[in-house]
Amino acid sequence: MQALRLFAGPKARQHIRDHGLVPGHVGTVPGAAGGPKGLILGPLDRFLFGDWLMRSDQPIDLIGASIGAWRVATACLHDPVEALSRLEREYIGQRYELPPGQKRLTADQISAGFAANLQRFYGGRVDEVLGHSRYRLHVVTSRGRRLLSRDGRWRTPAGYLGAYVANAFSRAALGGWLERVVFSTQSAAGAVAELPFDTADLHTRQVGLHAGNFMQALQASCSIPFVLRPVADIPDAPRGVYWDGGITDYHLHLRYRHRVDAPIVLYPHFQKAVVPGWLDKAWRNRHRSSSALDWMLVLAPDTDWVRSLPNGKLPDRTDFNRYGMDVGARSRVWHVAVSEAVRLADEWAQWLERPDPDRIEPL
């Protein structure tokens, strides 16, 4: 294993030492926010959802924020290998044409283009996502409060400044400015799926996810502040504006509920650290593991392997500025990175043939 590293909480490590790891042990799969970084997980996603997890039959909770929500929603489509491959192709090839005389796109233009992309991708197929026989989908969004209860030229920057200061004191204080709203799939009888995590850490609401609000919820979960407009007044959800789910839950450092039947939280991630919220990126002491992650197994790229990729890093949002309107150059670099990422899936598959707990490092 040269490209992939495995990290786990103490209970997950002990479970694997005692029982090994089979698909039936997995009860939850998170999908982190992180924009283009999520591309590196495409080969792992295709192996997990198109092969390995299909060898079991237990219900699995899929939780996603931002690009992670797009990934796990796509995994619910029929033929997940083809669907996830299409997601990768279309994400890499995305382009937004500048109108004549305009130097850069506005947030309104990017939001309109993104909504059109979601419609093309999921149009006529939402029932596939929501009606999956095993997967319970949970899409994380961030609903604005106080100054952030509406979008505005001055309100939004001032509101995020207030949220940053509040979050510096504590995660709980962030809830006064942004609350976590999770859109969860419903049963045929209309019962909303139970959240697979405890919500005492941050002010949280849960809303049923259905065909009438799926597109808006998914767009909201991907609506990066100052890049896209927030989504306002999502049907059947509390009134207000909804931003990127990564603001409250960047890497989904959640208090996962223990499932006796399927205890492992299997996390394909693009790094070892599971950062709670986007505003916590500056607070390194919040990047450490905690008891909330005791049952988590993280699959992450090795840092030396990452340095071997083009530009010595994972694809990320800085590439949009680096390559500007040269979509071809950016696409070529990203294609190389995701082609190399096949090694992550290959090494994971090889480890699963003979699971060696000594290769698992503490999270």
Side-chain angles (χ1 to χ4, degrees):
M1 292 174 65
Q2 296 178 328
L4 181 69
R5 293 177 69 182
L6 307 180
F7 304 94
K11 293 181 179 178
R13 293 177 73 200
Q14 189 61 51
H15 173 92
I16 295 169
R17 191 170 295 279
D18 294 342
H19 308 289
L21 184 67
V22 298
H25 294 164
V26 176
T28 306
V29 179
K37 293 187 183 78
L39 289 170
I40 212 71
L41 304 174
L44 270 172
D45 286 345
R46 292 192 289 274
F47 173 70
L48 288 173
F49 293 110
D51 183 342
W52 193 64
L53 290 175
M54 295 178 73
R55 306 175 198 175
S56 60
D57 57 8
Q58 80 283 5
I60 300 177
D61 288 291
L62 308 183
I63 313 167
S66 200
I67 183 63
W70 200 350
R71 286 171 46 223
V72 295
T74 302
C76 297
L77 289 169
H78 300 334
D79 193 353
V81 172
E82 186 281 328
L84 288 162
S85 295
R86 179 187 172 194
L87 172 60
E88 181 181 286
R89 291 193 306 271
E90 295 191 5
Y91 194 99
I92 290 175
Q94 64 182 302
R95 66 171 68 225
Y96 295 86
E97 299 295 339
L98 275 174
Q102 192 171 318
K103 292 185 177 180
R104 64 178 184 176
L105 293 168
T106 67
D108 286 325
Q109 290 168 329
I110 296 173
S111 292
F114 188 74
N117 288 339
L118 288 181
Q119 186 60 48
R120 281 192 296 269
F121 196 87
Y122 292 106
R125 305 188 69 184
V126 174
D127 288 344
E128 290 180 37
V129 178
L130 302 180
H132 198 282
S133 60
R134 295 178 56 204
Y135 297 157
R136 300 178 294 219
L137 179 63
H138 307 271
V139 175
V140 181
T141 67
S142 304
R143 175 177 175 265
R145 308 178 75 186
R146 295 182 179 171
L147 283 174
L148 293 175
S149 62
R150 296 198 309 276
D151 190 22
R153 183 177 179 184
W154 303 112
R155 291 176 65 96
T156 300
Y160 272 104
L161 176 61
Y164 181 86
V165 172
N167 185 68
F169 284 99
S170 73
R171 278 270 294 166
L174 175 66
W177 294 86
L178 291 156
E179 67 177 356
R180 174 194 295 138
V181 179
V182 186
F183 292 81
S184 303
T185 48
Q186 302 171 262
S187 69
V192 179
E194 181 182 8
L195 289 176
F197 54 89
D198 178 81
T199 60
D201 62 318
L202 190 69
H203 196 279
T204 302
R205 297 179 192 240
Q206 188 182 24
V207 176
L209 182 65
H210 53 74
N213 63 17
F214 173 82
M215 294 293 189
Q216 296 98 319
L218 191 55
Q219 174 145 354
S221 188
C222 299
S223 292
I224 304 166
F226 310 111
V227 178
L228 285 84
R229 291 292 185 205
V231 178
D233 300 333
I234 298 175
D236 294 332
R239 290 181 61 82
V241 296
Y242 291 76
W243 271 283
D244 195 305
I247 303 300
T248 54
D249 294 286
Y250 190 39
H251 294 162
L252 302 168
H253 192 130
L254 303 167
R255 301 180 182 184
Y256 295 94
R257 303 185 195 276
H258 176 57
R259 279 181 55 179
V260 175
D261 63 320
I264 298 298
V265 179
L266 181 63
Y267 196 0
H269 195 17
F270 43 78
Q271 63 182 46
K272 173 186 177 182
V274 183
V275 182
W278 191 85
L279 299 176
D280 294 315
K281 291 200 294 184
W283 308 107
R284 294 288 178 175
N285 62 320
R286 299 186 187 180
H287 296 196
R288 295 193 295 264
S289 185
S290 72
S291 60
L293 310 183
D294 279 355
W295 285 98
M296 179 175 283
L297 172 61
V298 172
L299 319 179
D302 181 86
T303 53
D304 288 335
W305 176 80
V306 170
R307 283 191 283 269
S308 74
L309 298 177
N311 301 317
K313 65 177 185 63
L314 300 176
D316 62 33
R317 287 203 300 126
T318 66
D319 292 331
F320 288 108
N321 293 327
R322 178 191 295 262
Y323 296 103
M325 298 307 293
D326 191 348
V327 177
R330 173 178 55 77
S331 297
R332 286 191 292 272
V333 167
W334 285 6
H335 272 299
V336 171
V338 298
S339 296
E340 291 295 320
V342 171
R343 293 182 60 184
L344 301 175
D346 289 345
E347 292 184 8
W348 171 237
Q350 291 165 10
W351 183 88
L352 287 170
E353 290 179 4
R354 298 185 63 182
D356 180 2
D358 291 333
R359 299 303 300 267
I360 302 176
E361 304 171 60
L363 183 60

